[in-house]
Amino acid sequence: MQLDLPLGQPVGARADEFLVSDINAHAVQHLEHWGTWPVMAALLVGPRKSGRSLLSRLFALRTGGTVIDDAERQSEVDIFHAWNRAQAERRPLLVVADAPPPAWDVRLPDLRSRIGATPVLTLGLPDARLVASLLDYLFERRELVAGPGLIDWITRRVERSYISILGVVEALEEDAMVRQNRRLSITTARPVLTNAGLVPNAPPAGVEQEGA
């Protein structure tokens, strides 16, 4: 499942999609039902590269609401006024941060109390289903052609983090440019990803089958 940004891109371009899996479905559902929020604000937290900025842009486009991204690096006074304005105007506010308080050290007492009353929506680390979907999505965006079994092979080995997934795609794209061949296989991907430390070292030759 994915949510498309309404930017008028041609069918198949997949320029901006937020991929939905079990680990982020609750956050997506909460944002889709913003009209029922008792507090006209939400705090969206999750690791970088988790799609949180994309999801927040999609939210703003669909609702006309306000987004404050990288909230830890923004003026607490500005966030405080935005929170109050959202309640007065009944127009939703989405605050995006790495983590909720107390990990996010909110110093302004009035803002701290308001953030404390704000629902927290969490984008967790990717599960296997989302890892595979992200690899497929990123390969298509970069015009890389994954051979049989490659996505499953990577999914079973790569660290479950968005940074690692992006590192895999970037390493394979760089190798494809050197080889001048954008078709990928387990045979070509294995040395690239093991040498980069993105998947565990492969067993000796002849021990592991092509799809193992």
Side-chain angles (χ1 to χ4, degrees), residues 5-207:
L5 280 175
L7 301 180
Q9 69 266 28
V11 174
R14 301 185 71 177
D16 284 298
E17 290 178 355
F18 183 83
L19 304 178
V20 181
S21 186
D22 291 341
I23 54 90
N24 56 34
H26 173 74
V28 171
Q29 290 169 2
H30 187 87
L31 294 176
E32 286 178 340
H33 295 90
W34 65 271
T36 64
W37 293 358
V39 176
M40 197 52 55
L43 175 60
L44 179 66
V45 301
R48 294 185 176 274
K49 305 300 182 181
S50 60
R52 63 188 198 183
S53 294
L54 174 59
L55 182 58
S56 64
R57 291 198 302 272
L58 171 58
F59 177 76
L61 284 167
R62 288 190 169 179
T63 67
T66 300
V67 171
I68 299 177
D69 205 350
D70 290 325
E72 301 95 331
R73 286 162 280 281
Q74 307 302 326
S75 163
E76 292 189 358
V77 173
D78 289 345
I79 300 174
F80 169 75
H81 288 308
W83 196 98
N84 287 341
R85 188 163 54 250
Q87 312 315 308
E89 298 177 357
R90 298 299 298 170
R91 192 172 67 154
L93 169 68
L94 184 60
V95 179
V96 183
D98 292 339
W104 172 18
D105 183 18
V106 180
R107 298 179 179 274
L108 185 66
D110 286 341
L111 176 61
R112 192 183 311 124
S113 65
R114 283 159 174 76
I115 294 297
T118 301
V120 178
L121 312 178
T122 302
L123 302 181
L125 294 175
D127 55 15
R129 175 188 170 195
L130 186 54
V131 171
S133 295
L134 284 168
L135 288 169
D136 179 65
Y137 168 63
L138 291 170
F139 284 157
E140 183 173 333
R141 285 196 67 176
R142 312 248 181 147
E143 299 183 334
L144 297 170
V145 181
L150 177 61
I151 288 178
D152 180 64
W153 185 87
I154 297 172
T155 298
R156 288 187 281 113
R157 288 162 175 78
V158 69
E159 177 186 322
R160 297 289 174 81
S161 77
Y162 299 100
I163 294 294
S164 294
I165 295 166
L166 185 59
V168 163
V169 176
E170 290 177 342
L172 293 178
E173 182 179 33
E174 182 177 349
D175 177 68
M177 293 174 66
V178 171
R179 292 187 295 109
Q180 297 186 342
N181 186 345
R182 304 190 77 81
R183 293 186 175 276
L184 310 175
S185 69
I186 297 174
T187 300
T188 60
R190 181 189 288 114
V192 174
L193 300 182
T194 55
N195 291 339
L198 291 165
V199 300
N201 288 330
V207 173

